[in-house]
Amino acid sequence: MLWLHAHRNVLHPRRFALALALSITSSAAGCSDDGPAAFQAADPIEVDVRAEALASNGGRLYEFVADSDGYVSVPSRLPAGEVVVTLTYIGDAPAPHSLVFEGLNGDQPVVAVDLPGSNNGTVHIAEGEQVFFDGAPGNRAKGYVGTVAVTGDESTAGPSVQSRADLWWSTAGVQFVGPPDRTAPANVPVALHLDVIDQLPHSIAFERVRDEQPLVAVDGPGVNQRTIVLSPGTYVYFCAVPGHRAAGMEGRLVVG
Ligand SMILES: [Cu+2]
């Protein structure tokens, strides 16, 4: 039942957003139903994930493809240095998957997906044999694990972007801690930090941004971050782990 509820939210996010927007607008405007919208939804941010990765990696794609049982295909090698890796999940139903490189990024996901689809993340990686695995609970034990050779210095990815502002989310069980609504500057790099102290996976995703895949994810205790640039407007953020949004893990981010 809980899963079905989460499934419906995942499949019909716009209906949910509209209901949320209407409820916020009507309370802010004293229940007038034809007043100007206080909720200025940001324009959708749609990204061709493979094109983005190809552009970042000088025309190369480093894609890890997982289905409901394990990895279907992984890159034969990765270049040393900073590289954009692509995680694609081809199962039928929403399910958390992530890509962790052992010993890197505090063993937190470089990239995560919670819906069938693809997402990108950036990792700085050294030459040698590198162990990778799926950090979502139980998946490594189910066989989502492997090694990849990291060779040479062919990565052409540019240096990491320096963030100009920081947003922090922390969690307590299936809740975000702190005020639900936040603000951030527009059109500059903003670092999204997610700090998890419990054993649960959590993530931050935005409605209508990048197919609503997680922007940053943590699998169990730890901190992770990702730097993004957002256009002005109001975004609805939520935890994309199935069931967590329905339990209350959502809020608004006003950018401008
Ligand atoms: Cu969560």
Side-chain angles (χ1 to χ4, degrees):
M1 195 63 185
L2 183 62
W3 186 87
L4 282 175
H5 186 57
H7 189 69
R8 277 177 46 210
N9 276 352
V10 165
L11 291 184
H12 302 289
R14 285 185 181 83
R15 184 190 304 164
F16 187 83
L18 184 61
L20 184 62
L22 289 174
S23 69
I24 290 165
T25 302
S26 57
S27 57
C31 295
S32 128
D33 53 18
D34 57 355
F39 184 96
Q40 294 291 333
D43 290 336
I45 298 178
E46 291 163 4
V47 174
D48 182 330
V49 169
R50 286 186 182 79
E52 179 184 69
L54 286 165
S56 298
N57 294 328
R60 294 185 180 87
L61 187 66
Y62 303 103
E63 185 172 21
F64 296 72
V65 181
D67 68 9
S68 302
D69 299 313
Y71 291 109
V72 174
S73 70
V74 299
S76 57
R77 55 172 290 279
L78 294 176
E82 195 154 281
V83 60
V84 171
V85 292
T86 303
L87 176 60
T88 296
Y89 167 54
I90 58 172
D92 295 326
H97 289 281
S98 71
L99 182 60
V100 179
F101 292 94
E102 195 168 71
L104 299 180
N105 198 39
D107 279 354
Q108 293 296 346
V110 167
V111 54
V113 293
D114 285 291
L115 304 170
S118 298
N119 201 0
N120 285 334
T122 303
V123 63
H124 193 93
I125 195 164
E127 266 189 81
E129 282 284 305
Q130 175 66 53
V131 174
F132 63 89
F133 61 92
D134 189 325
N139 279 354
R140 183 175 186 167
K142 279 169 64 179
Y144 291 85
V145 59
T147 61
V148 60
V150 183
T151 58
D153 55 0
E154 297 177 38
S155 169
T156 57
S160 299
V161 178
Q162 283 298 310
S163 64
R164 299 264 301 276
D166 294 275
L167 281 174
W168 282 88
W169 282 266
S170 55
T171 65
V174 193
Q175 296 295 324
F176 287 122
V177 177
D181 294 348
R182 292 122 195 274
T183 59
N187 303 321
V188 297
V190 175
L192 312 179
H193 303 265
L194 178 58
D195 184 359
V196 173
I197 58 170
D198 53 51
Q199 299 293 329
L200 298 169
H202 294 289
S203 67
I204 303 286
F206 289 178
E207 276 188 358
R208 312 198 309 154
V209 174
R210 291 177 167 265
D211 291 334
E212 308 191 355
Q213 296 285 9
L215 298 171
V216 57
V218 172
D219 291 325
V223 181
N224 203 358
Q225 71 161 74
R226 175 171 182 168
T227 299
I228 63 169
V229 176
L230 292 167
S231 49
T234 299
Y235 297 81
V236 174
Y237 71 81
F238 59 97
C239 177
V241 174
H244 288 201
R245 182 178 186 169
M249 298 190 80
E250 64 181 358
R252 292 186 306 170
L253 173 64
V254 179
V255 175

